[in-house]
Every structure is written in C-alpha cells, then in structure tokens.
Amino acid sequence: MAQTPSTSTDNGIAAADAQVPATPAFSPLYQQIKALILQSLQAGEWKPGEAIPSEMELAARFRVSQGTVRKAIDELSAENLVVRRQGKGTFVATHSEQHVQYRFLKLMPDSGDRDSEGPAQRSVLECKRVRATAEVARSLALRSGDPVVQVRRILSFGSVPTILEDLWLPGNTFKGITADQVAGYQGPTYAMFEVEFGVRMVRAEEKIRAVLPDAQQAVLLKVEQQMPLLSVERVAYTYNDVPMELRRGLYRTDTHHYRNELS
Amino acid sequence: MAQTPSTSTDNGIAAADAQVPATPAFSPLYQQIKALILQSLQAGEWKPGEAIPSEMELAARFRVSQGTVRKAIDELSAENLVVRRQGKGTFVATHSEQHVQYRFLKLMPDSGDRDSEGPAQRSVLECKRVRATAEVARSLALRSGDPVVQVRRILSFGSVPTILEDLWLPGNTFKGITADQVAGYQGPTYAMFEVEFGVRMVRAEEKIRAVLPDAQQAVLLKVEQQMPLLSVERVAYTYNDVPMELRRGLYRTDTHHYRNELS
DNA sequence: CAGTGGTCTAGACCACACT
DNA sequence: GTGTGGTCTAGACCACTGC
C-alpha cells in the first residue's frame, strides 16, 4: 500500500504475463483503502455504533496520507455505512438510535411528521419455519426448499392497522428467531437484527404496485376488499450485495402516503 | 474571496454588532464558491449541455485553489446539477441526451429494462389555460386564481395506455405553450422545458398512493374501474427550491412497477 | 488542553480525450 | 502534445467535543 507521489502506476496487480489487459483494472488507492475498511466492517472488527479508528490512525495503518483515507471514508459515509461526527470520530452506522429511525420506511402520515403520530404498534401474527418457494429462493439467492423463516405482522398507527407485512429470512442466519423477539424489541426490527443476529442491512430495493387485498388480507387490515392498497416488495441487502430479507408489505394509503425524493 | 492558509476566521460576514451570534453562520469557502457557481448556472451564464470553465479557470476567477473549486463542483455533481467527464470538462446537466433518459420516471416494465420496450408514445388530450385552484396554487407557490397551464396526456408503451398524467405549469413562465409542443418534441418533456422555456428541473418530490380510477380515467386508460392504480403526485423544482410543475399521474401496475432504491 | 473531523493550499503526477 | 478532470501527498489551520 506504500505509495509515494512518484510511484509507478503499478497498482498492486502483479501481472503474471505481459498481455494487454482487456480491462485496465485501474483502481485508485482510496478505493482500495475503502475496500479494506469495508472488509473490517464486514468482519465485525468494529461493532455497530462503535467508533472506527481515527483518520490519522487508519492512514498510518495503511501507509497512505490522511487525505486518501478521508476520501475512502467520504464514500462510505455517502453510502450510509458509517457516520462522521466532527470532534468525536467516525462511527459504524446502525439502525438503532439513528436520528433517522425507520430508515427504509417511506410511508408518511398525510398531515404532520412521523414523530407526531408516535411509534408504530407491532403485533406479530406468525413466525414459522418454512421452505423457500421458487420465488422466495430467487429473491434471497437461495435454492428452492431451503429453510427460511416467515414472519407475518401488522403495524398500527394510533391503533389503526396500517401495514400488513410478510418477512422472509434465510433460516440459517436467523436460526432460532421467535415471535417474541420480533414483537418485543424496542426500536426498529433492523436494529434487532444487528443486535441478535449480527446482520446489518445496508441498502434495499423496492417494487411498488397498486393492488386489492384478498379476503384474508382485508380482514387482517380491517378494510374492505375494494380498497386499493400499496404493495411494496422489498429486498434488503447486507454487505457485498448479499440479499438477507424479502419483505412484502400492504400499505393503507387513505391516511398515509409513500414519500419519495428524486434528484 | 482571497484567503491564505493563515487567514483569520472572518468569513466575510461584516458583523454590525458584537453580540453573540445565535447561529455562527460559518460557511466554508467551498460552499461560498458553490453558491457563486450556482448563481451563474441559474443566471444562464452557461447553457444546458455546455461546458463550464475548467477547474483551473474557476480557481483563478475566485482566487482560491483548485482543490476548493473541486470540492464545490463535487457537490454540484452529486446533486446532478453538473456532469463531470474526465479529459473533457464539466458540463451543465440537461434532461436531453442524458444517458439516463426519463430521470424522474421510476415506472419500469416488469420484465426487461426500459430500452427493451422502446420509447413511450405520447398523446396530448388537452392543453389549456386555467386558473389555479387553491390546491394547485399551494403546490406551485402561487395564489388561487393565478393563471396556470394544464396539460393532460397519455403515455403508452407498445400501444398499451399505461400512464394518464395531468400537468400544471405556472402560466407566466410557460406562456404560449401548445399541445403540439408537448406532443411533438423529441425526447423528454423536461428537455423541452429547457429548450423552449429555459426552465431546468433539478429535483422533485413524489407522494404515492393506491387508488381506483373514476369513470373518465378508466375510459382514458382503457381499464376497468375496479383496477387499482398507482397515484403519483409530483412537484418538480428548479433552482432555489422554486416549484415549477405539479404533476398527477395514474400508473398501471399490472405490467409495470414503480422501482425505488433505498440506502 | 488534546484529539477528532473539516477546510484549504500547493504541487506533483496519472488517466483520458482531442487534435 | 495539450488540456481536462482525477488522484495523492504534506502540511497548516479551523471548528467541535470532551477531559
């Protein structure tokens, strides 16, 4: 990693042959540093909420300048993997105590903000071991029939059932998860995943549709079957784009709306 | 703007009194540079698609180092106001010829990508001068009764009507807009706004709901009234967070879905 | 006070695009 | 080759936090 301003453009890739590389495979130093920090993050060298070493320390460890470490951390920070706090340090991001609770939930009350309606009440209807259907397996990069945990729950705001959700989790990683754990944990469920299973969700993709509930769904949400609902299918990923959760939600949108910012 | 490493922390804010400032109002140099570049962008000093001066030139103009200009442009680039191209220069972002056509349209075909289904066919149903309702006025920061232009159109993919949209535009800025302009322009409508009216949309907010169409909407989209549709209400903003368009779309989501990425 | 992240500079060199 | 953005360094100083 040592590299002075007058170093060659070698890049650490020991070419076994002198053929013209199809891809130059040029990767700036700060990207390599970023990858190394990412590895430590992934390996759990620093736990969620903890501080990572200071920029100077990391610079010394990797034998690069502070500026290079800085640029690496800049990107990690932009990806919400890490949070900088001036005067204090850089901390591993966490779904707990994050000033943005419910980072992945975009449903907002039509009037007021999320604080004004208070926290959601959760009631877990089911939490059972099942085998992955072809569809679930595809989303979670498993094989059909692999063990998964399915959780069904309802989120209510002001005692009005608003979200009906099904979660599918890889059975091996979430071995022994119980309904009580899902229902009883204080704070976001993704925070519980961090504490109890060491799984940190880093990003997610959602596919949104308008649908009508089936008979059972209508009963559970206490709405008529003619009421259109938002169907939100989410796949959440840990590090390295490994999918770790499939979630299908039905949202009432008569008093709430899904809010999105485009740029 | 001249500031050497040993400059005082003055910051250009000539304090009229010595009271303790409620807000320190500290703004780093690069933020001030960013604001200046933003002003030039807004004033139209460089047109969409054109190159802005090189980093070295801007550094000389503002009497700061290249690194400081660089950080200013970094943020403008992150906000999609400007596009950097190594070896060529930095260009004013545009909705035309942007490799990401339809930057604000998140509706995707269920199978394949947007290229595979080809461009949308547009048919403009209406384009008329009206007076702003209270609701439209609120969204566009106008007063009730102010002149606005309302456009209604249908977007079809593979000759299947998929989106029914109403657009409201401030009448003063979009004076003289015609249905032919909206329908006939090659490329995104937002690109037409840039070329014909000098209006560049920079960001947008959307509120999404599931709804059933009324009788007229169902006829126009050629769907049954029981088919749930996505209602997408968008407010698009120019520079300085000035709202310039209100758009209400009804999306079919039986063959398409609204795609969102969370992080 | 010391330690952290944040800003700014000056200069060198690299990768890329055009001519 | 020239000019552009992109990377990297070294060092200084500023702003914030907590001891």
Side-chain angles (χ1 to χ4, degrees):
Chain A
M1 205 49 64
Q3 183 166 328
T4 60
S6 53
T7 294
S8 78
T9 180
D10 184 16
N11 234 315
I13 297 162
D17 48 6
Q19 74 185 8
V20 178
T23 305
F26 165 73
S27 161
L29 233 197
Y30 76 88
Q31 286 286 3
Q32 303 176 37
I33 303 297
K34 179 185 170 188
L36 289 173
I37 298 175
L38 211 39
Q39 281 178 25
S40 293
L41 243 25
Q42 189 175 355
E45 183 173 335
W46 316 296
K47 299 294 175 199
E50 284 183 10
I52 73 174
S54 74
E55 295 177 353
M56 290 303 272
E57 284 181 83
L58 290 171
R61 181 203 290 199
F62 298 127
R63 311 289 191 81
V64 297
S65 75
Q66 188 202 6
T68 300
V69 169
R70 195 168 173 70
K71 182 141 190 181
I73 295 181
D74 276 346
E75 293 207 349
L76 293 172
S77 174
E79 294 167 25
N80 291 313
L81 294 174
V82 116
V83 176
R84 322 185 81 138
R85 279 181 238 167
Q86 181 171 150
K88 302 177 74 173
T90 302
F91 300 79
V92 182
T94 169
H95 282 81
S96 316
E97 70 161 323
Q98 203 164 249
H99 46 282
V100 183
Q101 291 281 64
Y102 300 107
R103 207 174 101 194
F104 289 167
L105 180 58
K106 311 278 276 182
L107 195 69
M108 300 287 184
D110 285 341
S111 53
D113 55 358
R114 211 129 67 188
D115 298 329
S116 65
E117 71 176 359
Q121 302 97 265
R122 285 179 293 218
S123 84
V124 175
L125 309 181
E126 273 187 332
C127 179
K128 59 183 180 185
R129 281 91 194 133
V130 297
R131 304 216 156 264
T133 63
E135 208 183 346
V136 169
R138 188 166 357 101
S139 295
L140 293 179
L142 301 175
R143 261 172 274 188
S144 294
D146 280 355
V148 295
V149 177
Q150 180 176 356
V151 177
R152 169 167 287 191
R153 64 173 185 175
I154 291 179
L155 302 188
S156 302
F157 296 100
S159 68
V160 177
T162 307
I163 298 179
L164 170 62
E165 269 183 338
D166 281 301
L167 284 64
W168 288 268
L169 304 163
N172 289 332
T173 306
F174 290 86
K175 225 186 297 284
I177 190 173
T178 66
D180 284 348
Q181 259 178 314
V182 177
Y185 189 84
Q186 293 296 325
T189 301
Y190 288 133
M192 187 269 282
F193 289 171
E194 292 176 1
V195 174
E196 301 293 339
F197 301 94
V199 173
R200 316 210 291 108
M201 301 302 187
V202 153
R203 67 177 193 89
E205 296 176 354
E206 292 188 332
K207 292 182 182 179
I208 303 168
R209 293 184 158 80
V211 301
L212 295 179
D214 62 28
Q216 187 191 23
Q217 290 164 341
V219 169
L220 291 173
L221 274 176
K222 296 179 180 164
V223 298
E224 299 179 355
Q225 256 194 276
Q226 291 72 33
M227 175 178 262
L229 300 171
L230 221 54
S231 160
V232 179
E233 178 177 311
R234 178 194 301 167
V235 178
Y237 298 84
T238 350
Y239 297 110
N240 288 94
D241 291 328
V242 177
M244 272 308 227
E245 182 202 54
L246 170 63
R247 193 181 281 215
R248 287 213 183 109
L250 281 184
Y251 296 4
R252 278 187 70 156
T253 55
D254 50 341
T255 57
H256 291 67
H257 61 271
Y258 185 103
R259 189 171 195 290
N260 200 19
E261 310 208 340
L262 313 178
S263 65
Chain B
M1 205 49 66
Q3 183 168 327
T4 61
S6 54
T7 294
S8 78
T9 180
D10 184 15
N11 234 318
I13 297 162
D17 48 6
Q19 76 185 6
V20 177
T23 306
F26 164 73
S27 160
L29 232 197
Y30 76 88
Q31 286 286 3
Q32 303 176 36
I33 304 298
K34 179 185 169 189
L36 289 172
I37 298 175
L38 211 39
Q39 281 178 24
S40 293
L41 281 171
Q42 189 174 357
E45 184 173 335
W46 317 296
K47 299 295 174 198
E50 284 183 10
I52 73 174
S54 74
E55 296 178 353
M56 291 301 272
E57 284 180 82
L58 290 171
R61 180 202 290 199
F62 298 128
R63 312 288 190 81
V64 298
S65 76
Q66 188 202 6
T68 300
V69 169
R70 199 171 170 68
K71 182 142 190 181
I73 295 180
D74 276 347
E75 293 208 347
L76 293 171
S77 174
E79 294 167 25
N80 291 313
L81 295 174
V82 116
V83 176
R84 323 186 80 138
R85 278 181 240 168
Q86 181 171 149
K88 302 179 72 174
T90 302
F91 300 79
V92 182
T94 170
H95 283 82
S96 316
E97 70 160 322
Q98 204 165 248
H99 44 286
V100 182
Q101 291 281 63
Y102 301 107
R103 208 173 101 196
F104 289 167
L105 179 58
K106 311 278 275 183
L107 195 69
M108 300 287 186
D110 284 342
S111 54
D113 55 359
R114 210 129 66 187
D115 298 328
S116 65
E117 72 177 356
Q121 303 96 266
R122 286 178 293 217
S123 82
V124 176
L125 308 182
E126 271 187 331
C127 178
K128 59 182 179 185
R129 282 90 194 134
V130 297
R131 303 215 157 262
T133 63
E135 208 183 345
V136 169
R138 189 167 357 102
S139 295
L140 293 179
L142 301 175
R143 262 172 274 189
S144 295
D146 280 355
V148 296
V149 177
Q150 179 176 358
V151 177
R152 169 167 287 191
R153 64 174 184 175
I154 291 180
L155 302 188
S156 302
F157 296 99
S159 68
V160 177
T162 306
I163 299 180
L164 170 62
E165 268 183 339
D166 282 300
L167 285 62
W168 288 268
L169 304 163
N172 288 331
T173 305
F174 290 87
K175 224 188 296 283
I177 189 173
T178 67
D180 284 348
Q181 260 179 315
V182 177
Y185 189 84
Q186 292 296 326
T189 301
Y190 287 133
M192 188 269 282
F193 289 171
E194 292 176 2
V195 174
E196 302 292 339
F197 301 95
V199 174
R200 314 211 292 109
M201 301 303 187
V202 153
R203 66 177 195 89
E205 297 176 355
E206 292 188 332
K207 293 182 182 179
I208 303 168
R209 293 184 158 80
V211 300
L212 294 179
D214 63 28
Q216 187 191 22
Q217 291 165 340
V219 169
L220 292 173
L221 274 175
K222 296 180 180 166
V223 298
E224 299 179 356
Q225 255 192 278
Q226 290 73 33
M227 174 179 263
L229 300 170
L230 222 53
S231 159
V232 179
E233 178 178 312
R234 178 194 300 166
V235 179
Y237 297 84
T238 349
Y239 296 110
N240 289 93
D241 290 328
V242 177
M244 272 309 230
E245 182 202 56
L246 169 63
R247 192 182 281 216
R248 287 212 184 109
L250 281 186
Y251 296 3
R252 280 187 70 156
T253 56
D254 52 340
T255 57
H256 290 67
H257 60 271
Y258 185 103
R259 189 170 195 290
N260 200 19
E261 311 208 339
L262 313 179
S263 64

